[in-house]
Amino acid sequence: MPHRYPVREIARQAGVSEATVDRVLHQRPGVREGTVLQVEQAIADLDRQRTQLRLSGRRFLIDVVMETPRQFSGLVRYALEQELPGLRPAVMRARFHLRETWRTAELIAQLDTIARQGSHAVVLKAPDTPEIAAAIGRLTAARIPVITLVTDVPMSTRIAYVGMDNRAAGATAAYLMCQWLRRVDVDVLVLTSSSMSRGEEEREMGFRSVMRSHDPNRRIVEVTDSDGLDETCAALTARVLDANADVGAVYSIGGGNRGIVSAFRTANRTCEVFIGHDLGDANRTLLLSGHLTAVLHHDLRADMRQVAQLVMRYHGALPGDQRPVASGIHVITPYNLPDA
């Protein structure tokens, strides 16, 4: 049995004699099965406590850099701050660099500033562009790991992506849309906030793929680069409704849902099915009022937990090289709405 502890330490932890531990370690006969399990458990306990000792006093400073609507960045900030106390005895502190829209040059300048000043990690939600990938490369060269969140920059040196499987999320939205519109003849409006967002692109691809296979005659009207803000989405949706008399359902990939609802109300049009993403305050209100049919949600606190573990593993404070797992996709309606 592999171990790294003196026999005396294992015996003390297990509450058995050193001779018993020696027999178990060398797989000699004459030891009850329960005692063998007791010794194995003692070694496992010592392993966990060794990890805690390794974490004791460790301090980590991470930078969260996001281009996203304020509603979503607020959810991320809250989720991370809720998780930080649970990381003790390690201490992790976060600096937030959040904007609803970044000029590419300013975003890159922010990443380069972090590379010069130093950080234990960067958590990044940004467009998938060659310039962003190059900036990630400079952070990597400065030994600052980058973890992409919600949307990926796959052709970069980032160490991991944390978030849901976006293609599966889009496919889930299409499946629900097909079921709910089975006997309703309307076109579907699909809105994305940025054509450079890999995550949104994957959601749209998943949505279109399932719509083609389940409901091939259903027309999809696409609006891109809405920026995910209510005012912009209201104006763009109003333009679509004015030009398309048959639009009567929405899959909102990038946000701005209050603006979309406002445009339907102003045009005196009915939205038969409205599917959105993420449980911010606005979407909660729209669910309860009946304007949103369902929200596809994932556990941001679990995402933040994975981010923290990746940072600590990179810096040798946690053992192993466990890769993050995709966040579960939860279909939220007014009747299974979790606590705020």
Side-chain angles (χ1 to χ4, degrees):
M1 184 185 303
H3 70 94
R4 58 175 70 86
Y5 311 105
V7 169
R8 179 177 300 174
E9 189 173 354
I10 299 172
R12 186 183 300 118
Q13 182 73 24
V16 299
S17 69
E18 294 179 31
T20 298
V21 171
D22 186 74
R23 283 197 294 272
V24 172
L25 294 176
H26 293 91
Q27 298 181 338
R28 297 192 183 104
V31 183
R32 290 180 301 173
E33 183 179 353
T35 304
V36 173
L37 294 174
Q38 198 172 337
V39 172
E40 291 174 348
Q41 183 62 53
I43 294 173
D45 291 343
L46 289 170
D47 279 336
R48 281 195 297 274
Q49 291 165 28
R50 182 187 181 96
T51 296
Q52 290 297 305
L53 290 172
R54 189 186 295 121
L55 284 173
S56 183
R58 294 293 297 269
R59 293 179 175 271
F60 303 92
L61 175 64
I62 66 173
D63 287 271
V64 181
V65 183
M66 301 180 70
E67 179 181 60
T68 193
R70 190 176 295 110
Q71 281 277 335
F72 186 72
S73 64
L75 291 176
V76 172
R77 182 196 287 268
Y78 178 79
L80 179 56
E81 290 175 347
Q82 289 298 301
E83 282 301 306
L84 293 182
L87 302 177
R88 294 189 178 97
V91 176
M92 189 169 288
R93 187 163 58 88
R95 296 183 295 205
F96 294 92
H97 315 274
L98 312 173
R99 292 190 192 178
E100 293 193 317
T101 57
W102 286 83
R103 296 182 184 216
T104 300
E106 293 175 344
L107 178 53
I108 290 171
Q110 180 63 68
L111 296 175
D112 287 341
T113 296
I114 295 169
R116 289 193 304 273
Q117 293 178 344
S119 178
H120 287 102
V122 170
V123 181
L124 180 65
K125 181 181 183 295
D128 178 20
T129 68
E131 296 83 3
I132 297 295
I136 293 173
R138 292 191 289 275
L139 285 161
T140 301
R143 296 193 55 76
I144 299 173
V146 176
I147 300 161
T148 52
L149 180 70
V150 180
T151 183
D152 200 7
V153 186
M155 302 303 290
S156 71
T157 56
R158 58 97 172 112
I159 64 168
Y161 161 74
V162 170
M164 68 168 65
D165 180 334
N166 285 300
R167 189 181 289 266
T172 301
Y175 174 78
L176 295 172
M177 190 72 73
C178 291
Q179 298 301 310
W180 289 330
L181 291 181
R182 188 176 297 174
R183 294 177 178 83
V184 183
D185 185 18
V186 294
D187 299 339
V188 178
L189 172 61
V190 176
L191 299 98
T192 57
S193 68
S194 171
S195 57
M196 302 307 297
S197 169
R198 171 66 63 130
E200 292 190 13
E201 179 187 24
E202 291 175 345
R203 289 177 189 179
E204 185 187 13
M205 288 191 295
F207 184 82
R208 285 185 177 274
S209 175
V210 171
M211 290 297 291
R212 278 195 301 269
S213 62
H214 284 63
D215 196 357
N217 296 320
R218 182 83 58 183
R219 181 167 173 256
I220 296 174
V221 179
E222 180 183 1
V223 171
T224 61
D225 296 311
S226 71
D227 71 21
L229 303 180
D230 290 329
E231 184 177 354
T232 308
C233 288
L236 292 173
T237 302
R239 195 176 307 161
V240 168
L241 294 177
D242 185 55
N244 298 269
D246 293 329
V247 168
V250 174
Y251 175 36
S252 174
I253 294 175
N257 296 337
R258 285 181 296 197
I260 298 168
V261 168
S262 174
F264 271 85
R265 183 188 302 116
T266 300
N268 196 26
R269 297 272 288 275
T270 298
C271 186
E272 300 287 348
V273 177
F274 191 162
I275 300 173
H277 280 270
D278 304 312
L279 273 180
D281 290 340
N283 280 352
R284 285 177 171 274
T285 300
L286 293 175
L287 268 175
L288 291 171
S289 67
H291 290 98
L292 269 173
T293 313
V295 168
L296 301 183
H297 179 64
H298 64 289
D299 187 347
L300 279 171
R301 287 191 60 171
D303 288 349
M304 294 301 102
R305 206 172 306 131
Q306 291 202 80
V307 164
Q309 291 168 354
L310 285 163
V311 173
M312 290 189 285
R313 284 195 176 93
Y314 178 89
H315 291 286
L318 286 179
D321 188 31
Q322 183 176 342
R323 308 306 297 166
V325 297
S327 306
I329 301 167
H330 306 290
V331 179
I332 305 298
T333 72
Y335 301 101
N336 65 335
L337 193 64
D339 292 338

